[in-house]
Amino acid sequence: MRKSVTTGSAAVVGLLVLALVGVNGPKAQDTATRPPKNLKKVGDHWTPWDPPAAGPDAYIIQKGDTLWDLAQKWLGDPFLWPQVWDQNRYIQDSHWIYPGDPLVVPGKPVVITESGPPPGEEAPTEEGAGEGEIAEPAAATPATPSMMLLADASDLYCSGYIDPDHQATALRVAGSEVVEREHPAQGDVIYLNQGRNQGVAPGAEFTVVRPVGQVVHPATEQDLGTYLRRLGKVRVMLTQEDTSTAVIEFACEDIQFQDQLLPWHTIPAPRRSSMPPFDQYDVTPSGGPTGAVVSLGFEQMNAGTGHVIHTTRQPEVGVDDVPGAGVLLVYRERPNLPRTHIGQAVVLTVESTSSTVKLAKSVRETLLGDRVELVR
């Protein structure tokens, strides 16, 4: 929800148009806060901040601008709006930007692909080639097949996982900059209950998690561990002696006070050049290691294509050698009848007692206790 707000004293009502920071994406929550009241006239516009002088390459905020839209325009991804804020920290509340204030435009990352640098940029010369000399061409690299991306950021960072030995963390969400908000959301500034004295440093990144219960093997009744829901990512902006101030860089759902924080780890997205063939009716076992579906996620009764679920791990499912690339056949056993093939799943991560997988193909619903077989 994008908003424009008119605020200020009676003398300036109708003259001030504030631009609400755009942090509202497909999964973001409404993050409106109370506008600052300490407005002052700087140059030809009103602002509560102390903006620096506009440099030659500065962008001047226009009516209707949002950090969300500007990140899309400048960086190609609206979820990168914190990078814009990082370059303009005179803005003390990320929810409010003001027409007339200047912004430093962050540089867009340049990715050099196999086809060479972008147009207009020189390719580096071969080492040893002098000025005016022509370097010997490098040996040709065989073409590699294009790789399919099999999971997105939501699959990786907004799904749960099973921790066999979860210990409640001391680092917690302690409060929010916006007192009126019960559940902080994406873009909000929050406070953590530890600071410099506990080793928290500015720039540190954390995953927010919430334990929601124990996972028990549906057949053996073995306790596999605690199911942890991933709720989002926070980055520490500054620290005090025993507290820290952080921003929620993205939120999968509402974050609650006392939610726990763990060190942030990047999860590689699984890629494959192709998926193995799936035959619904050829039910001959392949001979690969087998296991079971032990969790369908929090409070899920069944799952289908695109859902993230959890299966048993080694030695039942041999995915240690191919985490993030292994493919599982999902099937259901029936007494005195051939087994029923249900679909295929791609392994995302491997934990101590389980694997987190995404259903890439389904011809019928997956249920708790269904079987999986590693495709060789």
Short mmCIF file of all heavy atoms in Angstrom, two decimals, residues 229-296:
data_model
loop_
_atom_site.label_atom_id
_atom_site.label_comp_id
_atom_site.label_asym_id
_atom_site.label_seq_id
_atom_site.Cartn_x
_atom_site.Cartn_y
_atom_site.Cartn_z
N ARG A 229 10.46 -22.09 12.27
CA ARG A 229 9.97 -21.29 11.15
C ARG A 229 10.94 -20.13 10.91
O ARG A 229 11.29 -19.40 11.84
CB ARG A 229 8.57 -20.75 11.45
CG ARG A 229 7.54 -21.82 11.57
CD ARG A 229 6.26 -21.30 12.19
NE ARG A 229 5.54 -20.37 11.34
CZ ARG A 229 4.37 -19.83 11.66
NH1 ARG A 229 3.80 -20.12 12.82
NH2 ARG A 229 3.76 -19.01 10.83
N ARG A 230 11.39 -19.97 9.67
CA ARG A 230 12.18 -18.80 9.32
C ARG A 230 11.23 -17.64 9.07
O ARG A 230 10.28 -17.76 8.29
CB ARG A 230 13.01 -19.06 8.06
CG ARG A 230 14.13 -20.11 8.23
CD ARG A 230 14.97 -20.15 6.96
NE ARG A 230 16.03 -21.14 7.03
CZ ARG A 230 15.95 -22.37 6.53
NH1 ARG A 230 14.83 -22.76 5.94
NH2 ARG A 230 16.96 -23.20 6.61
N LEU A 231 11.49 -16.51 9.72
CA LEU A 231 10.57 -15.37 9.66
C LEU A 231 11.12 -14.18 8.89
O LEU A 231 10.34 -13.30 8.51
CB LEU A 231 10.21 -14.92 11.08
CG LEU A 231 9.64 -16.00 12.00
CD1 LEU A 231 9.46 -15.44 13.40
CD2 LEU A 231 8.32 -16.52 11.46
N GLY A 232 12.42 -14.13 8.67
CA GLY A 232 12.98 -13.00 7.95
C GLY A 232 14.43 -12.76 8.29
O GLY A 232 15.09 -13.58 8.93
N LYS A 233 14.92 -11.61 7.87
CA LYS A 233 16.33 -11.25 8.05
C LYS A 233 16.42 -9.85 8.65
O LYS A 233 15.70 -8.94 8.24
CB LYS A 233 17.06 -11.27 6.70
CG LYS A 233 18.53 -10.84 6.77
CD LYS A 233 19.13 -10.80 5.37
CE LYS A 233 20.59 -10.37 5.41
NZ LYS A 233 21.19 -10.29 4.06
N VAL A 234 17.30 -9.68 9.63
CA VAL A 234 17.54 -8.36 10.21
C VAL A 234 19.02 -8.03 10.13
O VAL A 234 19.88 -8.93 10.12
CB VAL A 234 17.05 -8.27 11.67
CG1 VAL A 234 15.58 -8.62 11.77
CG2 VAL A 234 17.87 -9.17 12.59
N ARG A 235 19.31 -6.74 10.05
CA ARG A 235 20.69 -6.27 10.01
C ARG A 235 20.87 -5.22 11.10
O ARG A 235 20.07 -4.29 11.22
CB ARG A 235 21.04 -5.68 8.65
CG ARG A 235 22.45 -5.11 8.56
CD ARG A 235 22.76 -4.64 7.14
NE ARG A 235 21.72 -3.77 6.65
CZ ARG A 235 21.62 -2.48 6.95
NH1 ARG A 235 22.50 -1.92 7.77
NH2 ARG A 235 20.66 -1.74 6.44
N VAL A 236 21.93 -5.36 11.89
CA VAL A 236 22.21 -4.42 12.97
C VAL A 236 22.77 -3.13 12.39
O VAL A 236 23.74 -3.15 11.63
CB VAL A 236 23.20 -5.04 13.98
CG1 VAL A 236 23.58 -4.02 15.06
CG2 VAL A 236 22.61 -6.30 14.61
N MET A 237 22.15 -2.00 12.74
CA MET A 237 22.62 -0.70 12.28
C MET A 237 23.61 -0.07 13.26
O MET A 237 24.62 0.49 12.86
CB MET A 237 21.43 0.24 12.06
CG MET A 237 20.47 -0.23 10.97
SD MET A 237 19.19 0.99 10.63
CE MET A 237 18.33 1.01 12.22
N LEU A 238 23.30 -0.14 14.55
CA LEU A 238 24.20 0.38 15.56
C LEU A 238 23.96 -0.36 16.87
O LEU A 238 22.90 -0.97 17.06
CB LEU A 238 24.02 1.88 15.77
CG LEU A 238 22.66 2.38 16.24
CD1 LEU A 238 22.83 3.60 17.13
CD2 LEU A 238 21.80 2.77 15.04
N THR A 239 24.95 -0.31 17.73
CA THR A 239 24.86 -1.04 18.99
C THR A 239 25.02 -0.10 20.17
O THR A 239 25.71 0.92 20.09
CB THR A 239 25.94 -2.14 19.07
OG1 THR A 239 27.23 -1.55 18.92
CG2 THR A 239 25.73 -3.18 17.99
N GLN A 240 24.35 -0.45 21.27
CA GLN A 240 24.56 0.20 22.55
C GLN A 240 25.25 -0.82 23.47
O GLN A 240 25.63 -1.89 23.02
CB GLN A 240 23.22 0.67 23.13
CG GLN A 240 22.48 1.69 22.24
CD GLN A 240 21.73 1.05 21.09
OE1 GLN A 240 21.07 0.03 21.25
NE2 GLN A 240 21.82 1.65 19.91
N GLU A 241 25.38 -0.49 24.74
CA GLU A 241 26.10 -1.41 25.63
C GLU A 241 25.41 -2.76 25.72
O GLU A 241 26.05 -3.81 25.58
CB GLU A 241 26.24 -0.79 27.02
CG GLU A 241 27.23 0.36 27.08
CD GLU A 241 27.48 0.82 28.50
OE1 GLU A 241 26.87 0.24 29.43
OE2 GLU A 241 28.29 1.74 28.70
N ASP A 242 24.10 -2.76 25.96
CA ASP A 242 23.39 -4.02 26.14
C ASP A 242 22.16 -4.16 25.24
O ASP A 242 21.31 -5.01 25.48
CB ASP A 242 22.95 -4.17 27.61
CG ASP A 242 24.15 -4.26 28.54
OD1 ASP A 242 24.98 -5.17 28.36
OD2 ASP A 242 24.27 -3.40 29.44
N THR A 243 22.07 -3.33 24.22
CA THR A 243 21.00 -3.42 23.23
C THR A 243 21.57 -3.08 21.86
O THR A 243 22.67 -2.55 21.74
CB THR A 243 19.84 -2.46 23.55
OG1 THR A 243 20.36 -1.12 23.62
CG2 THR A 243 19.15 -2.82 24.87
N SER A 244 20.79 -3.40 20.83
CA SER A 244 21.18 -3.07 19.46
C SER A 244 19.97 -2.55 18.71
O SER A 244 18.83 -2.93 19.01
CB SER A 244 21.73 -4.31 18.73
OG SER A 244 22.87 -4.82 19.38
N THR A 245 20.23 -1.71 17.73
CA THR A 245 19.18 -1.19 16.85
C THR A 245 19.37 -1.85 15.48
O THR A 245 20.47 -1.81 14.92
CB THR A 245 19.27 0.33 16.72
OG1 THR A 245 19.21 0.92 18.02
CG2 THR A 245 18.13 0.87 15.87
N ALA A 246 18.31 -2.44 14.96
CA ALA A 246 18.40 -3.20 13.71
C ALA A 246 17.23 -2.86 12.81
O ALA A 246 16.21 -2.31 13.25
CB ALA A 246 18.44 -4.70 13.99
N VAL A 247 17.36 -3.18 11.54
CA VAL A 247 16.27 -2.99 10.57
C VAL A 247 15.88 -4.36 10.02
O VAL A 247 16.74 -5.23 9.81
CB VAL A 247 16.69 -2.04 9.43
CG1 VAL A 247 17.86 -2.60 8.63
CG2 VAL A 247 15.51 -1.77 8.49
N ILE A 248 14.59 -4.56 9.84
CA ILE A 248 14.10 -5.80 9.23
C ILE A 248 14.26 -5.66 7.72
O ILE A 248 13.52 -4.90 7.08
CB ILE A 248 12.63 -6.06 9.61
CG1 ILE A 248 12.49 -6.18 11.14
CG2 ILE A 248 12.13 -7.33 8.94
CD1 ILE A 248 11.05 -6.34 11.60
N GLU A 249 15.23 -6.36 7.14
CA GLU A 249 15.48 -6.23 5.71
C GLU A 249 14.41 -6.92 4.89
O GLU A 249 14.07 -6.46 3.80
CB GLU A 249 16.87 -6.78 5.37
CG GLU A 249 17.98 -5.95 5.98
CD GLU A 249 19.28 -6.06 5.22
OE1 GLU A 249 19.51 -7.12 4.58
OE2 GLU A 249 20.08 -5.11 5.28
N PHE A 250 13.92 -8.05 5.35
CA PHE A 250 12.72 -8.63 4.75
C PHE A 250 12.03 -9.48 5.80
O PHE A 250 12.65 -9.99 6.72
CB PHE A 250 13.01 -9.42 3.47
CG PHE A 250 13.72 -10.73 3.68
CD1 PHE A 250 13.02 -11.88 4.03
CD2 PHE A 250 15.09 -10.83 3.51
CE1 PHE A 250 13.67 -13.09 4.22
CE2 PHE A 250 15.75 -12.04 3.70
CZ PHE A 250 15.03 -13.17 4.06
N ALA A 251 10.73 -9.61 5.64
CA ALA A 251 9.93 -10.39 6.59
C ALA A 251 9.02 -11.33 5.82
O ALA A 251 8.34 -10.91 4.88
CB ALA A 251 9.11 -9.48 7.49
N CYS A 252 9.04 -12.59 6.20
CA CYS A 252 8.15 -13.57 5.58
C CYS A 252 6.74 -13.46 6.17
O CYS A 252 5.76 -13.81 5.50
CB CYS A 252 8.68 -14.99 5.82
SG CYS A 252 10.41 -15.21 5.32
N GLU A 253 6.65 -13.02 7.41
CA GLU A 253 5.39 -12.82 8.10
C GLU A 253 5.66 -11.91 9.29
O GLU A 253 6.79 -11.46 9.49
CB GLU A 253 4.80 -14.16 8.56
CG GLU A 253 5.73 -14.97 9.45
CD GLU A 253 5.13 -16.30 9.83
OE1 GLU A 253 4.26 -16.29 10.72
OE2 GLU A 253 5.52 -17.33 9.26
N ASP A 254 4.61 -11.62 10.06
CA ASP A 254 4.80 -10.75 11.22
C ASP A 254 5.86 -11.32 12.16
O ASP A 254 5.86 -12.51 12.47
CB ASP A 254 3.49 -10.60 11.99
CG ASP A 254 2.51 -9.69 11.28
OD1 ASP A 254 2.95 -8.93 10.41
OD2 ASP A 254 1.31 -9.76 11.59
N ILE A 255 6.75 -10.45 12.61
CA ILE A 255 7.77 -10.82 13.60
C ILE A 255 7.26 -10.39 14.97
O ILE A 255 6.68 -9.32 15.13
CB ILE A 255 9.11 -10.16 13.25
CG1 ILE A 255 9.67 -10.84 11.97
CG2 ILE A 255 10.10 -10.25 14.40
CD1 ILE A 255 10.92 -10.18 11.44
N GLN A 256 7.48 -11.24 15.96
CA GLN A 256 6.96 -10.99 17.30
C GLN A 256 8.11 -10.74 18.28
O GLN A 256 9.23 -11.22 18.07
CB GLN A 256 6.12 -12.18 17.79
CG GLN A 256 4.93 -12.49 16.91
CD GLN A 256 4.17 -13.73 17.37
OE1 GLN A 256 4.47 -14.31 18.42
NE2 GLN A 256 3.19 -14.15 16.59
N PHE A 257 7.81 -9.99 19.33
CA PHE A 257 8.80 -9.80 20.38
C PHE A 257 9.12 -11.15 21.01
O PHE A 257 8.24 -12.00 21.17
CB PHE A 257 8.29 -8.82 21.44
CG PHE A 257 7.92 -7.47 20.86
CD1 PHE A 257 6.86 -6.75 21.36
CD2 PHE A 257 8.65 -6.94 19.82
CE1 PHE A 257 6.53 -5.51 20.83
CE2 PHE A 257 8.34 -5.71 19.27
CZ PHE A 257 7.27 -4.98 19.78
N GLN A 258 10.36 -11.36 21.33
CA GLN A 258 10.91 -12.62 21.87
C GLN A 258 11.21 -13.65 20.79
O GLN A 258 11.67 -14.75 21.10
CB GLN A 258 10.00 -13.22 22.95
CG GLN A 258 9.86 -12.36 24.20
CD GLN A 258 11.21 -12.01 24.82
OE1 GLN A 258 12.05 -12.87 25.02
NE2 GLN A 258 11.41 -10.73 25.13
N ASP A 259 10.95 -13.36 19.51
CA ASP A 259 11.43 -14.26 18.46
C ASP A 259 12.95 -14.33 18.54
O ASP A 259 13.63 -13.35 18.92
CB ASP A 259 10.99 -13.77 17.08
CG ASP A 259 9.55 -14.15 16.76
OD1 ASP A 259 9.04 -15.10 17.37
OD2 ASP A 259 8.94 -13.50 15.88
N GLN A 260 13.50 -15.48 18.19
CA GLN A 260 14.93 -15.72 18.37
C GLN A 260 15.72 -15.37 17.12
O GLN A 260 15.18 -15.36 16.01
CB GLN A 260 15.14 -17.19 18.74
CG GLN A 260 14.37 -17.62 19.98
CD GLN A 260 14.52 -19.09 20.29
OE1 GLN A 260 15.46 -19.75 19.86
NE2 GLN A 260 13.58 -19.63 21.07
N LEU A 261 17.02 -15.08 17.31
CA LEU A 261 17.89 -14.73 16.19
C LEU A 261 19.09 -15.68 16.13
O LEU A 261 19.71 -15.97 17.15
CB LEU A 261 18.37 -13.29 16.30
CG LEU A 261 17.29 -12.24 16.02
CD1 LEU A 261 16.63 -11.80 17.31
CD2 LEU A 261 17.86 -11.03 15.29
N LEU A 262 19.37 -16.12 14.94
CA LEU A 262 20.52 -16.96 14.66
C LEU A 262 21.39 -16.28 13.61
O LEU A 262 20.88 -15.50 12.79
CB LEU A 262 20.07 -18.34 14.14
CG LEU A 262 19.26 -19.20 15.10
CD1 LEU A 262 18.68 -20.41 14.37
CD2 LEU A 262 20.12 -19.65 16.27
N PRO A 263 22.69 -16.55 13.57
CA PRO A 263 23.54 -15.95 12.54
C PRO A 263 23.01 -16.24 11.13
O PRO A 263 22.56 -17.37 10.85
CB PRO A 263 24.90 -16.61 12.77
CG PRO A 263 24.88 -16.99 14.21
CD PRO A 263 23.46 -17.38 14.51
N TRP A 264 23.04 -15.24 10.28
CA TRP A 264 22.55 -15.37 8.92
C TRP A 264 23.52 -16.20 8.09
O TRP A 264 24.73 -16.03 8.14
CB TRP A 264 22.39 -13.99 8.29
CG TRP A 264 22.08 -14.02 6.83
CD1 TRP A 264 22.96 -13.91 5.78
CD2 TRP A 264 20.79 -14.20 6.24
NE1 TRP A 264 22.29 -14.00 4.59
CE2 TRP A 264 20.96 -14.17 4.83
CE3 TRP A 264 19.51 -14.36 6.76
CZ2 TRP A 264 19.89 -14.30 3.95
CZ3 TRP A 264 18.45 -14.50 5.88
CH2 TRP A 264 18.64 -14.47 4.50
N HIS A 265 22.97 -17.14 7.31
CA HIS A 265 23.77 -17.93 6.38
C HIS A 265 23.10 -17.90 5.02
O HIS A 265 21.88 -18.09 4.91
CB HIS A 265 23.90 -19.38 6.86
CG HIS A 265 24.66 -19.54 8.15
ND1 HIS A 265 26.01 -19.29 8.24
CD2 HIS A 265 24.25 -19.89 9.39
CE1 HIS A 265 26.40 -19.50 9.49
NE2 HIS A 265 25.35 -19.85 10.21
N THR A 266 23.89 -17.67 3.99
CA THR A 266 23.36 -17.70 2.63
C THR A 266 23.12 -19.16 2.23
O THR A 266 23.97 -20.03 2.45
CB THR A 266 24.35 -17.05 1.65
OG1 THR A 266 24.54 -15.69 2.04
CG2 THR A 266 23.80 -17.10 0.23
N ILE A 267 21.96 -19.43 1.64
CA ILE A 267 21.61 -20.78 1.19
C ILE A 267 21.70 -20.81 -0.33
O ILE A 267 20.97 -20.07 -1.00
CB ILE A 267 20.19 -21.17 1.64
CG1 ILE A 267 20.05 -21.03 3.15
CG2 ILE A 267 19.85 -22.59 1.19
CD1 ILE A 267 18.63 -21.26 3.65
N PRO A 268 22.60 -21.60 -0.91
CA PRO A 268 22.71 -21.64 -2.37
C PRO A 268 21.40 -22.14 -3.00
O PRO A 268 20.78 -23.10 -2.51
CB PRO A 268 23.85 -22.63 -2.63
CG PRO A 268 24.58 -22.72 -1.32
CD PRO A 268 23.56 -22.49 -0.25
N ALA A 269 20.97 -21.49 -4.05
CA ALA A 269 19.76 -21.93 -4.76
C ALA A 269 20.10 -23.14 -5.62
O ALA A 269 21.10 -23.14 -6.34
CB ALA A 269 19.22 -20.80 -5.62
N PRO A 270 19.29 -24.20 -5.55
CA PRO A 270 19.58 -25.39 -6.35
C PRO A 270 19.37 -25.14 -7.84
O PRO A 270 18.41 -24.48 -8.24
CB PRO A 270 18.58 -26.42 -5.81
CG PRO A 270 17.45 -25.61 -5.29
CD PRO A 270 18.07 -24.35 -4.75
N ARG A 271 20.27 -25.66 -8.63
CA ARG A 271 20.18 -25.54 -10.10
C ARG A 271 20.51 -26.88 -10.73
O ARG A 271 21.34 -27.63 -10.23
CB ARG A 271 21.15 -24.48 -10.63
CG ARG A 271 20.88 -23.06 -10.13
CD ARG A 271 21.97 -22.10 -10.58
NE ARG A 271 21.78 -20.77 -10.04
CZ ARG A 271 21.14 -19.79 -10.67
NH1 ARG A 271 20.62 -20.04 -11.87
NH2 ARG A 271 21.00 -18.60 -10.13
N ARG A 272 19.86 -27.15 -11.82
CA ARG A 272 20.15 -28.36 -12.59
C ARG A 272 20.00 -28.03 -14.07
O ARG A 272 19.23 -27.14 -14.45
CB ARG A 272 19.18 -29.50 -12.24
CG ARG A 272 19.37 -30.10 -10.86
CD ARG A 272 18.37 -31.22 -10.63
NE ARG A 272 18.59 -32.34 -11.51
CZ ARG A 272 19.31 -33.42 -11.19
NH1 ARG A 272 19.86 -33.50 -9.98
NH2 ARG A 272 19.48 -34.41 -12.03
N SER A 273 20.75 -28.75 -14.90
CA SER A 273 20.59 -28.56 -16.33
C SER A 273 19.30 -29.17 -16.83
O SER A 273 18.71 -28.72 -17.81
CB SER A 273 21.78 -29.18 -17.08
OG SER A 273 21.89 -30.57 -16.79
N SER A 274 18.80 -30.19 -16.12
CA SER A 274 17.53 -30.81 -16.49
C SER A 274 17.04 -31.66 -15.32
O SER A 274 17.81 -32.00 -14.43
CB SER A 274 17.68 -31.69 -17.75
OG SER A 274 18.56 -32.78 -17.48
N MET A 275 15.77 -31.97 -15.34
CA MET A 275 15.19 -32.87 -14.35
C MET A 275 15.12 -34.28 -14.93
O MET A 275 14.86 -34.45 -16.13
CB MET A 275 13.80 -32.40 -13.94
CG MET A 275 13.79 -31.12 -13.13
SD MET A 275 14.43 -31.35 -11.45
CE MET A 275 13.07 -32.29 -10.71
N PRO A 276 15.33 -35.30 -14.10
CA PRO A 276 15.19 -36.66 -14.61
C PRO A 276 13.75 -36.93 -15.01
O PRO A 276 12.82 -36.30 -14.50
CB PRO A 276 15.61 -37.53 -13.42
CG PRO A 276 15.46 -36.66 -12.23
CD PRO A 276 15.71 -35.26 -12.69
N PRO A 277 13.53 -37.83 -15.95
CA PRO A 277 12.15 -38.11 -16.39
C PRO A 277 11.31 -38.66 -15.25
O PRO A 277 11.82 -39.35 -14.37
CB PRO A 277 12.33 -39.13 -17.52
CG PRO A 277 13.67 -39.75 -17.28
CD PRO A 277 14.51 -38.68 -16.67
N PHE A 278 10.04 -38.34 -15.28
CA PHE A 278 9.10 -38.84 -14.28
C PHE A 278 8.03 -39.66 -14.98
O PHE A 278 7.37 -39.18 -15.90
CB PHE A 278 8.44 -37.66 -13.53
CG PHE A 278 7.31 -38.09 -12.62
CD1 PHE A 278 7.58 -38.66 -11.39
CD2 PHE A 278 5.99 -37.92 -13.01
CE1 PHE A 278 6.55 -39.05 -10.54
CE2 PHE A 278 4.95 -38.30 -12.17
CZ PHE A 278 5.23 -38.87 -10.94
N ASP A 279 7.90 -40.91 -14.58
CA ASP A 279 6.89 -41.80 -15.16
C ASP A 279 5.91 -42.19 -14.06
O ASP A 279 6.27 -42.86 -13.10
CB ASP A 279 7.55 -43.05 -15.76
CG ASP A 279 6.59 -43.86 -16.62
OD1 ASP A 279 5.38 -43.90 -16.30
OD2 ASP A 279 7.03 -44.45 -17.62
N GLN A 280 4.70 -41.76 -14.22
CA GLN A 280 3.69 -42.01 -13.19
C GLN A 280 3.35 -43.49 -13.07
O GLN A 280 2.96 -43.96 -11.98
CB GLN A 280 2.43 -41.20 -13.52
CG GLN A 280 1.31 -41.34 -12.52
CD GLN A 280 0.11 -40.47 -12.87
OE1 GLN A 280 0.19 -39.64 -13.80
NE2 GLN A 280 -0.99 -40.65 -12.17
N TYR A 281 3.52 -44.24 -14.14
CA TYR A 281 3.02 -45.62 -14.15
C TYR A 281 4.11 -46.68 -14.13
O TYR A 281 3.84 -47.84 -13.82
CB TYR A 281 2.12 -45.82 -15.36
CG TYR A 281 0.93 -44.89 -15.34
CD1 TYR A 281 0.86 -43.80 -16.18
CD2 TYR A 281 -0.11 -45.08 -14.42
CE1 TYR A 281 -0.22 -42.93 -16.14
CE2 TYR A 281 -1.19 -44.22 -14.37
CZ TYR A 281 -1.24 -43.15 -15.24
OH TYR A 281 -2.31 -42.29 -15.19
N ASP A 282 5.35 -46.32 -14.46
CA ASP A 282 6.44 -47.27 -14.33
C ASP A 282 6.92 -47.23 -12.89
O ASP A 282 7.72 -46.37 -12.49
CB ASP A 282 7.58 -46.92 -15.28
CG ASP A 282 8.73 -47.92 -15.21
OD1 ASP A 282 8.60 -48.92 -14.46
OD2 ASP A 282 9.75 -47.70 -15.89
N VAL A 283 6.44 -48.13 -12.07
CA VAL A 283 6.67 -48.07 -10.63
C VAL A 283 7.79 -49.01 -10.18
O VAL A 283 7.88 -49.36 -9.01
CB VAL A 283 5.37 -48.39 -9.87
CG1 VAL A 283 4.34 -47.31 -10.13
CG2 VAL A 283 4.82 -49.77 -10.26
N THR A 284 8.65 -49.40 -11.11
CA THR A 284 9.78 -50.24 -10.75
C THR A 284 10.77 -49.46 -9.90
O THR A 284 11.21 -48.37 -10.30
CB THR A 284 10.51 -50.74 -12.01
OG1 THR A 284 9.57 -51.40 -12.86
CG2 THR A 284 11.63 -51.70 -11.63
N PRO A 285 11.13 -49.93 -8.70
CA PRO A 285 12.09 -49.20 -7.86
C PRO A 285 13.42 -49.02 -8.56
O PRO A 285 13.89 -49.90 -9.28
CB PRO A 285 12.23 -50.09 -6.62
CG PRO A 285 10.97 -50.90 -6.58
CD PRO A 285 10.61 -51.14 -8.03
N SER A 286 14.05 -47.85 -8.37
CA SER A 286 15.33 -47.57 -9.02
C SER A 286 16.50 -48.13 -8.24
O SER A 286 17.61 -48.20 -8.76
CB SER A 286 15.51 -46.06 -9.18
OG SER A 286 15.68 -45.46 -7.90
N GLY A 287 16.27 -48.50 -7.00
CA GLY A 287 17.35 -49.00 -6.17
C GLY A 287 18.03 -47.92 -5.35
O GLY A 287 18.95 -48.23 -4.57
N GLY A 288 17.60 -46.66 -5.48
CA GLY A 288 18.19 -45.59 -4.69
C GLY A 288 17.74 -45.66 -3.24
O GLY A 288 16.73 -46.30 -2.91
N PRO A 289 18.47 -45.02 -2.34
CA PRO A 289 18.08 -45.00 -0.92
C PRO A 289 16.68 -44.43 -0.76
O PRO A 289 16.26 -43.53 -1.49
CB PRO A 289 19.13 -44.10 -0.27
CG PRO A 289 20.29 -44.10 -1.21
CD PRO A 289 19.72 -44.25 -2.58
N THR A 290 15.95 -44.93 0.20
CA THR A 290 14.57 -44.50 0.42
C THR A 290 14.41 -43.88 1.81
O THR A 290 15.24 -44.06 2.69
CB THR A 290 13.60 -45.67 0.28
OG1 THR A 290 13.90 -46.65 1.27
CG2 THR A 290 13.68 -46.30 -1.11
N GLY A 291 13.33 -43.14 1.98
CA GLY A 291 13.03 -42.51 3.25
C GLY A 291 11.56 -42.16 3.31
O GLY A 291 10.75 -42.71 2.56
N ALA A 292 11.21 -41.23 4.18
CA ALA A 292 9.81 -40.91 4.40
C ALA A 292 9.61 -39.40 4.50
O ALA A 292 10.52 -38.66 4.87
CB ALA A 292 9.30 -41.58 5.68
N VAL A 293 8.40 -38.96 4.18
CA VAL A 293 7.99 -37.57 4.41
C VAL A 293 7.61 -37.46 5.89
O VAL A 293 6.70 -38.14 6.36
CB VAL A 293 6.80 -37.19 3.51
CG1 VAL A 293 6.31 -35.78 3.85
CG2 VAL A 293 7.17 -37.29 2.04
N VAL A 294 8.33 -36.60 6.62
CA VAL A 294 8.12 -36.52 8.07
C VAL A 294 7.44 -35.22 8.51
O VAL A 294 6.99 -35.10 9.64
CB VAL A 294 9.45 -36.69 8.83
CG1 VAL A 294 10.02 -38.08 8.58
CG2 VAL A 294 10.46 -35.61 8.44
N SER A 295 7.38 -34.23 7.62
CA SER A 295 6.71 -32.97 7.96
C SER A 295 6.28 -32.29 6.67
O SER A 295 7.01 -32.30 5.67
CB SER A 295 7.63 -32.04 8.75
OG SER A 295 7.03 -30.77 8.93
N LEU A 296 5.08 -31.71 6.71
CA LEU A 296 4.56 -30.95 5.57
C LEU A 296 4.62 -29.46 5.83
O LEU A 296 4.01 -28.67 5.12
CB LEU A 296 3.11 -31.37 5.28
CG LEU A 296 2.91 -32.85 4.94
CD1 LEU A 296 1.43 -33.18 4.86
CD2 LEU A 296 3.60 -33.19 3.62
#
